Amino acid sequence: MITKERGLKMATENLFQNDAYLKEMHAEVTAVRRHGGRMQIALDRSVFFPEGGGQPADQGFLDGIKVVDVQEDADSGDIWHILEKEGDFKPGQRVCGRIDWDRRFDHMQMHCGEHILSGRFHELFGVENRGFHMGSDYMTIDMAAPEGRPLTDEQIREAEIASNEIIWENLPVRILRCENREDAERLPLRKLADFVEGDVSVVLIGDEESPADCCACCGTHPLQTGSVGLISVLKAETYKGMTRLTIKAGRFALEEYMLRSDAASALAKKYSCELAELIERDKINDVKNEEIRRELAELRSAIAKKEEEKLREALDSGSGTFEAFTYELQSANDLQAMASRLKDSLVAPLALLSERDCTVVIASPGEPDAGKLVGNFAKLFAGKGGGNRQIARAIFQSSEDAKKFIDQLKEELR
């Protein structure tokens, strides 16, 4: 048992260091304060893990009031339990504390999973863990490979399989207490950070002669690797010259696999194939879709060319004043592209209505200003938009509003 002393005052006894499976405790209140708008309670002993080492704090209850955060004062050694609401707590009072065990065990699975995976990467490829963060249901690890090389997909898969093999072996996980840095360095450590003077906790997975991992750590861990259940690497991305891995472990890894399995099964059913054939079937489908997209682009181009020819003929035989044309199926983008090709040959402004998009494209030889026409009159019919002197567009909530806008322009440009 480790109990740090600060002067005449005894720091909080960390019960979780000796037994991570303790869920409840009775303790004495040593101090009460209000900080950051919350009541905070210090105890003489606690099962609540304070945030640290990349692991979030425990949550739970003190005498029925929810503990929403736990922090340790590095100078005094006090563990402060931050409450959701006010309570009647006084120094010397006996209280009962209970942690949210599901949350704690999730963190134990995840943290131990991080050790196992980091140990396998180090053993297999000489990769160093340079940063660790635990989120609500995932972890990220920043891995630095020799000479700054990014990790390959093959390396990640090999380390992932090797990590799960360590879980299947159900190796013991021990927390070794070292009174100083020198004692810790006698162990087969993968990594020992720059610790201040004092005791060091080391997590040893497997036996000391050939450990699956051995690393200084203040977090909570299960007693056997089998309790981790599963480790899954979800994503790898380059980050500051390293490879950042996104990982899930334990219950969260299982839930992720179930989600992905359901999605893959649904797709396999859609394509009427087995799961093993799904990737190949998707490739075939991509080829077919590309052919369809190409044919569609060709058809749209041909239709646009025909419509542009018709429009040019109508303009050539027109009155040389403002005219409007309505298109049922063409998109606003198609009409704007057509207007852009025509703008330099116009002698009068032109309106093209896309009924599909409830949008009017205005093209002008420059006078009147197309953008000003939209700015001045579209708002009269709950429209919005803008543009420049030659090309502008106005977007409406309905094609009827768009037609009213065109009627307004006809009145203004007569």
Side-chain angles (χ1 to χ4, degrees), residues 6 16 192 216 227 249 268 272 318 347 368:
R6 302 290 193 275
F16 52 82
L192 180 62
S227 295
S272 300
V347 296

Side-chain angles (χ1 to χ4, degrees), residues 19-68:
D19 187 353
Y21 287 81
L22 276 178
K23 303 176 182 66
E24 297 184 9
M25 92 290 187
H26 288 86
E28 181 179 310
V29 176
T30 58
V32 178
R33 71 182 185 186
R34 283 164 184 80
H35 184 71
R38 300 272 193 182
M39 173 174 274
Q40 302 187 4
I41 309 298
L43 305 172
D44 65 338
R45 60 206 299 263
S46 180
V47 294
F48 287 82
F49 177 81
E51 180 183 15
Q55 181 174 323
D58 282 335
Q59 293 181 359
F61 294 89
L62 272 183
D63 279 0
I65 298 179
K66 187 172 182 180
V67 176
V68 296

Side-chain angles (χ1 to χ4, degrees), residues 126-258:
V127 173
E128 296 288 345
N129 177 340
R130 294 287 175 80
F132 165 60
H133 169 75
M134 188 185 298
S136 59
D137 64 349
Y138 70 97
M139 301 173 286
T140 59
I141 307 177
D142 296 331
M143 293 294 199
E147 300 176 4
R149 296 189 302 270
L151 295 175
T152 66
D153 292 342
E154 291 75 18
Q155 287 176 319
I156 293 170
R157 178 58 60 87
E158 184 177 348
E160 182 180 29
I161 292 171
S163 296
N164 282 288
E165 288 173 344
I166 295 298
I167 292 174
W168 303 336
E169 291 183 41
N170 200 28
L171 299 177
V173 179
R174 290 184 288 160
I175 310 298
L176 306 179
R177 308 298 183 194
C178 303
E179 293 185 358
N180 50 56
R181 183 184 181 91
E182 290 70 27
D183 288 344
E185 287 177 335
R186 295 188 182 96
L187 297 170
L189 291 165
R190 166 173 59 85
K191 177 182 178 182
L192 180 62
D194 295 327
F195 282 89
V196 296
E197 290 299 322
D199 55 79
V200 179
S201 294
V202 174
V203 177
L204 174 66
I205 300 176
D207 60 74
E208 195 170 321
E209 287 70 33
S210 57
D213 192 48
C214 184
C215 183
C217 178
C218 64
T220 56
H221 301 271
L223 294 174
Q224 299 89 20
T225 58
S227 295
V228 175
L230 181 66
I231 295 173
S232 174
V233 179
L234 305 180
K235 184 171 65 174
E237 54 193 334
T238 301
Y239 177 75
K240 295 183 178 180
M242 299 176 287
T243 301
R244 172 165 286 184
L245 301 179
T246 300
I247 302 143
K248 289 194 175 184
R251 175 169 63 92
F252 297 126
L254 176 60
E255 289 175 350
E256 181 74 23
Y257 270 123
M258 292 170 68

